[in-house]
Amino acid sequence: MEESLVSASTIVWLAFAVGGVFGFVANRTNFCTMGAVSDIVNMGDWNRMRMWALAIATAILGTAALQWLGLFDASKSIYTGARLTWFSHLLGGLCFGIGMTLASGCGSKTLIRIGGGNLKSIVVFVFLAIGAYMTMRGLFGVWRVRHLDPLASELPHGQDLPAFLGAATGMAPGSALLVTALAFGGGLLLWSLARREAWRSDVLLGGVVVGATVVAGWYVSAHIGYVAEHPETLEEAFIATNSGRAESLTFVAPVAYTLELLLLWSDTSRVVTFGIASALGVIAGSAAYAVASRSFRIESFRDAGDLVRHMAGGLLMGFGGVTALGCTIGQGITGLSTLALGSILTTLAIIIGSAITMKIQYWLMMRGA
């Protein structure tokens, strides 16, 4: 048993590589959820939204394939439990959507911009981490546990769509997974590629590779890093994960854990995990592309108001991301790859929060003019 136990360093380096590919390609293709919403609201351009939809479709179909092959069990992630914290998903998603608009990008975009030399994103990184950590274990966490967590529904089965279909029809779990994955993943795939503009190389590259990195993350943590009986605890374990469950790409809690590791480096109980390594990999991958393409440049705040907006946006993203159990990647692609109802609620709330904030910003700009 001990000889077959994969080392934590192996999982960490694989996670770093997955994050590196994500960062390189996302920078290369300008993959950005907030940008996708902004393009629609301000210009009526759906190309980046189609790229995001293609990433979701790739992640859904790839994750379903992993489950079909017995390489991943979605019930061992944080997304598909029977307890649906619907209010937290909606409130957290709205706050995250507002925050990412104020901060000029979500958690993944923040990491990508750090790699490109953006000093504003370093400030967002710090405040996002502070907001997330306060919501996990600090002041905001007390409010969350007392007032938000109790607003939930206890389901008789998992909250993933295959579980709903199976309960309603008596269909076998495998068949229900196949039907829902093909319906939602296939539907998104067809929609994302329905227009000629969607066949541009950057849309295809960004959508397919970003979605594939989420699938790769599941494979690394849930298959390579899975131990049925850990020799020390004699319990099921997922090596080098913060949650103790199967994980893939998400960029809110890992940012908080990264800051915690830097602050408590001398504490030997703090180690690099899957989430931390993947976040650092995104920065490294983005930096590699920025240097190779000669697009690396230092960018800072234009005035005090710009600084305040980015600080507030970081805090809102930290609070919202932890409350909703994920961000535009953590819920908007990784969570959706498990077909979880909570992920759908969060993703819709993020889009609505961002779109409303953009409209308000535009109104304020026109009023000021």
Side-chain angles (χ1 to χ4, degrees):
M1 178 69 72
E2 292 186 21
E3 292 180 357
S4 64
L5 185 66
V6 66
S7 68
S9 62
T10 298
I11 300 302
V12 164
W13 281 113
L14 288 172
F16 183 84
V18 171
V21 173
F22 178 101
F24 188 96
V25 173
N27 194 343
R28 160 68 178 79
T29 61
N30 198 22
F31 185 93
C32 177
T33 305
M34 192 210 76
V37 177
S38 177
D39 288 350
I40 295 171
V41 172
N42 297 318
M43 298 181 291
D45 184 348
W46 285 79
N47 281 334
R48 280 202 282 183
M49 183 59 75
R50 291 181 185 279
M51 189 193 307
W52 188 30
L54 179 57
I56 297 170
T58 302
I60 290 175
L61 295 174
T63 300
L66 289 181
Q67 294 184 78
W68 187 263
L69 295 171
L71 302 176
F72 168 57
D73 183 354
S75 68
K76 299 184 186 299
S77 71
I78 65 171
Y79 299 105
T80 60
R83 191 167 189 270
L84 177 64
T85 53
W86 56 270
F87 186 79
S88 295
H89 286 301
L90 294 174
L91 177 63
L94 284 171
C95 289
F96 190 92
I98 295 169
M100 77 174 188
T101 307
L102 296 176
S104 304
C106 62
S108 64
K109 194 65 175 180
T110 296
L111 299 175
I112 292 165
R113 283 181 169 160
I114 289 175
N118 193 307
L119 301 180
K120 296 193 289 187
S121 294
I122 295 178
V123 173
V124 174
F125 178 99
V126 172
F127 277 86
L128 189 158
I130 292 172
Y133 207 89
M134 289 177 66
T135 309
M136 287 190 292
R137 303 178 182 176
L139 176 63
F140 297 163
V142 175
W143 299 342
R144 175 178 60 81
V145 172
R146 288 180 180 175
H147 305 297
L148 302 182
D149 287 355
L151 299 174
S153 299
E154 295 291 344
L155 303 174
H157 48 69
Q159 63 177 276
D160 54 298
L161 298 184
F164 278 96
L165 180 61
T169 64
M171 190 178 296
S175 300
L177 171 64
L178 182 62
V179 170
T180 50
L182 289 176
F184 287 89
L188 280 172
L189 180 65
L190 291 175
W191 179 82
S192 63
L193 299 177
R195 299 291 295 273
R196 180 179 300 177
E197 309 89 78
W199 288 86
R200 287 169 24 192
S201 60
D202 57 340
V203 174
L204 295 174
L205 179 65
V208 172
V209 174
V210 167
T213 57
V214 168
V215 179
W218 285 130
Y219 182 80
V220 169
S221 76
H223 182 66
I224 298 177
Y226 175 69
V227 181
E229 186 177 298
H230 196 284
E232 295 179 3
T233 63
L234 302 181
E235 296 179 350
E236 180 182 68
F238 294 89
I239 304 298
T241 61
N242 287 110
S243 65
R245 302 183 186 182
E247 296 179 359
S248 189
L249 299 184
T250 186
F251 301 114
V252 175
V255 169
Y257 290 128
T258 301
L259 183 60
E260 178 191 50
L261 179 65
L262 295 174
L263 292 173
L264 303 175
W265 188 264
S266 60
D267 183 349
T268 57
S269 67
R270 312 291 174 178
V271 296
V272 179
T273 59
F274 178 94
I276 293 173
S278 60
L280 295 177
V282 172
I283 296 175
S286 175
Y289 175 78
V291 172
S293 63
R294 299 183 180 180
S295 60
F296 184 92
R297 66 186 182 91
I298 301 299
E299 181 181 350
S300 188
F301 298 99
R302 63 177 179 268
D303 54 39
D306 193 27
L307 170 62
V308 171
R309 282 190 295 274
H310 282 76
M311 290 166 58
L315 287 173
L316 281 169
M317 281 198 291
F319 169 78
V322 171
T323 299
L325 298 180
C327 55
T328 53
I329 303 298
Q331 285 282 27
I333 301 180
T334 297
L336 288 179
S337 75
T338 68
L339 297 168
L341 180 56
S343 300
I344 296 173
L345 295 177
T346 297
T347 303
L348 291 175
I350 289 174
I351 294 173
I352 292 170
S354 179
I356 291 175
T357 305
M358 289 175 191
K359 290 290 188 181
I360 293 174
Q361 286 180 325
Y362 180 76
W363 179 79
L364 290 174
M365 181 181 69
M366 296 302 295
R367 185 183 182 188

